Amino acid sequence: MSNFTHWNEEGRPKMVDISEKTSTNRTAIARSTITLSDEVYQAIQQGGIKKGDPTQVAQIAGIIGAKKTADIIPMCHPIMLQGTDLQFDYIKAEVGYELHIQATVKCSGKTGVEMEALTAVSIAALTFYDMCKAVDKSMVIKETYLVQKTGGKSGTFVHK
Protein backbone atom coordinates (compact mmCIF):
# COMPACT_ATOMS: atom_id res chain seq x y z
CA MET A 1 0.00 0.00 0.00
CA SER A 2 3.02 2.30 0.16
CA ASN A 3 2.28 3.57 -3.38
CA PHE A 4 -1.07 4.95 -2.27
CA THR A 5 -1.04 8.37 -0.61
CA HIS A 6 -4.40 8.06 1.10
CA TRP A 7 -3.39 5.36 3.62
CA ASN A 8 -1.76 5.99 6.99
CA GLU A 9 0.94 3.84 8.59
CA GLU A 10 -1.76 1.58 10.07
CA GLY A 11 -3.26 0.93 6.62
CA ARG A 12 -6.30 3.09 7.33
CA PRO A 13 -7.69 5.83 5.06
CA LYS A 14 -6.49 9.39 5.55
CA MET A 15 -6.77 12.75 3.84
CA VAL A 16 -3.41 13.70 2.34
CA ASP A 17 -1.56 16.51 4.13
CA ILE A 18 -1.15 19.37 1.65
CA SER A 19 0.06 21.95 4.18
CA GLU A 20 3.60 22.01 2.76
CA LYS A 21 2.53 22.26 -0.90
CA THR A 22 2.84 25.51 -2.85
CA SER A 23 -0.27 27.27 -4.12
CA THR A 24 -0.49 27.42 -7.91
CA ASN A 25 -3.17 28.32 -10.43
CA ARG A 26 -5.03 25.14 -11.30
CA THR A 27 -7.57 24.32 -13.98
CA ALA A 28 -9.42 21.15 -14.86
CA ILE A 29 -11.72 20.39 -17.78
CA ALA A 30 -13.97 17.32 -17.75
CA ARG A 31 -16.53 16.00 -20.20
CA SER A 32 -19.53 13.68 -20.11
CA THR A 33 -21.80 12.51 -22.93
CA ILE A 34 -25.48 11.56 -22.90
CA THR A 35 -27.28 9.85 -25.77
CA LEU A 36 -30.86 10.94 -26.33
CA SER A 37 -33.61 10.17 -28.76
CA ASP A 38 -34.98 12.46 -31.45
CA GLU A 39 -38.12 12.68 -29.27
CA VAL A 40 -36.21 14.12 -26.31
CA TYR A 41 -34.25 16.50 -28.52
CA GLN A 42 -37.43 17.80 -30.19
CA ALA A 43 -39.18 18.20 -26.83
CA ILE A 44 -36.27 20.32 -25.60
CA GLN A 45 -36.20 22.44 -28.77
CA GLN A 46 -39.95 23.04 -28.57
CA GLY A 47 -39.98 23.84 -24.85
CA GLY A 48 -41.88 20.64 -24.11
CA ILE A 49 -39.98 19.53 -21.00
CA LYS A 50 -42.45 20.09 -18.16
CA LYS A 51 -39.75 20.71 -15.55
CA GLY A 52 -38.15 23.51 -17.62
CA ASP A 53 -35.02 23.92 -19.72
CA PRO A 54 -32.87 20.89 -18.82
CA THR A 55 -29.55 22.49 -19.72
CA GLN A 56 -30.19 25.56 -17.57
CA VAL A 57 -31.04 23.41 -14.56
CA ALA A 58 -28.12 21.05 -15.29
CA GLN A 59 -25.79 24.09 -15.49
CA ILE A 60 -26.77 25.18 -11.98
CA ALA A 61 -26.60 21.60 -10.66
CA GLY A 62 -23.13 21.17 -12.15
CA ILE A 63 -21.88 24.31 -10.43
CA ILE A 64 -23.35 23.13 -7.13
CA GLY A 65 -21.77 19.70 -7.71
CA ALA A 66 -18.34 21.26 -8.18
CA LYS A 67 -18.76 23.30 -4.99
CA LYS A 68 -19.93 20.26 -2.98
CA THR A 69 -17.33 17.74 -4.19
CA ALA A 70 -15.57 17.52 -0.82
CA ASP A 71 -18.94 16.71 0.79
CA ILE A 72 -19.47 13.59 -1.32
CA ILE A 73 -15.96 12.34 -2.25
CA PRO A 74 -14.40 11.36 1.10
CA MET A 75 -10.72 12.17 0.51
CA CYS A 76 -11.20 15.43 -1.42
CA HIS A 77 -10.11 18.64 0.26
CA PRO A 78 -12.62 21.50 0.46
CA ILE A 79 -11.42 23.98 -2.15
CA MET A 80 -12.22 27.64 -2.62
CA LEU A 81 -13.18 27.52 -6.30
CA GLN A 82 -12.59 30.68 -8.27
CA GLY A 83 -14.53 29.75 -11.38
CA THR A 84 -16.83 27.02 -12.65
CA ASP A 85 -18.51 27.00 -16.05
CA LEU A 86 -20.31 24.38 -18.10
CA GLN A 87 -20.98 24.16 -21.83
CA PHE A 88 -23.60 22.00 -23.56
CA ASP A 89 -23.35 20.94 -27.19
CA TYR A 90 -25.91 18.79 -29.05
CA ILE A 91 -24.43 16.65 -31.82
CA LYS A 92 -26.60 14.72 -34.31
CA ALA A 93 -25.74 11.03 -34.01
CA GLU A 94 -26.45 8.08 -36.28
CA VAL A 95 -29.52 7.48 -34.11
CA GLY A 96 -30.82 10.44 -32.13
CA TYR A 97 -28.42 12.92 -30.58
CA GLU A 98 -25.53 13.15 -28.18
CA LEU A 99 -25.26 15.92 -25.64
CA HIS A 100 -21.66 16.75 -24.76
CA ILE A 101 -21.33 18.41 -21.36
CA GLN A 102 -18.04 20.09 -20.52
CA ALA A 103 -17.03 21.71 -17.23
CA THR A 104 -14.09 24.01 -16.61
CA VAL A 105 -13.12 24.57 -12.99
CA LYS A 106 -10.41 26.92 -11.71
CA CYS A 107 -8.74 27.77 -8.43
CA SER A 108 -5.49 28.98 -6.95
CA GLY A 109 -4.53 26.50 -4.28
CA LYS A 110 -2.52 23.58 -3.00
CA THR A 111 -4.53 20.79 -4.61
CA GLY A 112 -6.10 20.26 -8.02
CA VAL A 113 -9.68 20.60 -9.18
CA GLU A 114 -9.96 17.44 -11.32
CA MET A 115 -12.53 15.86 -9.02
CA GLU A 116 -14.56 19.08 -8.96
CA ALA A 117 -14.71 19.16 -12.78
CA LEU A 118 -15.60 15.45 -12.95
CA THR A 119 -18.28 15.89 -10.29
CA ALA A 120 -19.68 18.92 -12.12
CA VAL A 121 -20.23 17.02 -15.38
CA SER A 122 -21.53 13.94 -13.56
CA ILE A 123 -24.11 15.91 -11.58
CA ALA A 124 -25.06 17.91 -14.69
CA ALA A 125 -25.60 14.67 -16.67
CA LEU A 126 -27.71 13.14 -13.89
CA THR A 127 -29.76 16.32 -13.63
CA PHE A 128 -30.31 16.42 -17.39
CA TYR A 129 -31.52 12.81 -17.25
CA ASP A 130 -33.88 13.65 -14.39
CA MET A 131 -35.30 16.63 -16.28
CA CYS A 132 -36.00 14.60 -19.44
CA LYS A 133 -36.90 11.12 -18.16
CA ALA A 134 -40.65 11.77 -18.41
CA VAL A 135 -40.24 11.99 -22.20
CA ASP A 136 -37.88 9.01 -22.61
CA LYS A 137 -36.04 6.92 -20.04
CA SER A 138 -33.71 5.30 -22.60
CA MET A 139 -31.08 8.06 -22.40
CA VAL A 140 -27.59 6.73 -21.64
CA ILE A 141 -24.93 8.61 -19.71
CA LYS A 142 -21.72 7.52 -21.43
CA GLU A 143 -18.07 8.49 -21.09
CA THR A 144 -17.14 10.81 -18.27
CA TYR A 145 -13.47 11.73 -18.24
CA LEU A 146 -10.82 14.33 -17.51
CA VAL A 147 -9.97 16.24 -20.68
CA GLN A 148 -7.18 18.38 -19.30
CA LYS A 149 -5.64 19.67 -16.10
CA THR A 150 -3.01 22.33 -15.46
CA GLY A 151 -1.03 23.47 -12.45
CA GLY A 152 0.50 21.76 -9.49
CA LYS A 153 3.53 19.54 -9.08
CA SER A 154 2.50 17.10 -11.81
CA GLY A 155 2.03 19.88 -14.39
CA THR A 156 -0.22 19.63 -17.41
CA PHE A 157 -2.22 16.56 -18.42
CA VAL A 158 -4.12 16.32 -21.71
CA HIS A 159 -6.32 13.29 -22.46
CA LYS A 160 -5.33 11.67 -25.74
Side-chain angles (χ1 to χ4, degrees), residues 9-112:
E9 292 174 3
E10 298 168 344
R12 299 176 60 118
K14 72 171 186 172
M15 181 185 279
V16 172
D17 180 357
I18 60 170
S19 62
E20 300 298 319
K21 291 177 80 176
T22 303
S23 288
T24 62
N25 291 327
R26 297 163 182 265
T27 302
I29 300 170
R31 187 173 295 150
S32 189
T33 301
I34 305 173
T35 62
L36 52 140
S37 65
D38 288 321
E39 182 182 11
V40 171
Y41 179 78
Q42 292 306 320
I44 293 166
Q45 298 308 307
Q46 296 167 6
I49 303 296
K50 292 180 183 178
K51 293 181 178 182
D53 181 340
T55 57
Q56 285 188 11
V57 177
Q59 176 106 13
I60 294 166
I63 292 168
I64 293 169
K67 291 167 57 174
K68 294 290 190 176
T69 299
D71 292 341
I72 58 175
I73 309 291
M75 300 304 170
C76 285
H77 293 83
I79 298 174
M80 179 62 70
L81 301 181
Q82 293 164 316
T84 301
D85 193 15
L86 286 91
Q87 293 81 39
F88 299 84
D89 189 23
Y90 293 101
I91 306 292
K92 179 68 176 136
E94 199 171 297
V95 177
Y97 287 81
E98 286 187 345
L99 173 61
H100 295 233
I101 304 169
Q102 183 167 294
T104 303
V105 180
K106 296 180 180 183
C107 81
S108 179
K110 295 182 176 194
T111 190

Side-chain angles (χ1 to χ4, degrees), residues 97-130:
Y97 287 81
E98 286 187 345
L99 173 61
H100 295 233
I101 304 169
Q102 183 167 294
T104 303
V105 180
K106 296 180 180 183
C107 81
S108 179
K110 295 182 176 194
T111 190
V113 288
E114 298 97 290
M115 292 308 300
E116 287 72 13
L118 288 162
T119 300
V121 294
S122 297
I123 296 297
L126 290 167
T127 300
F128 183 90
Y129 183 96
D130 178 57

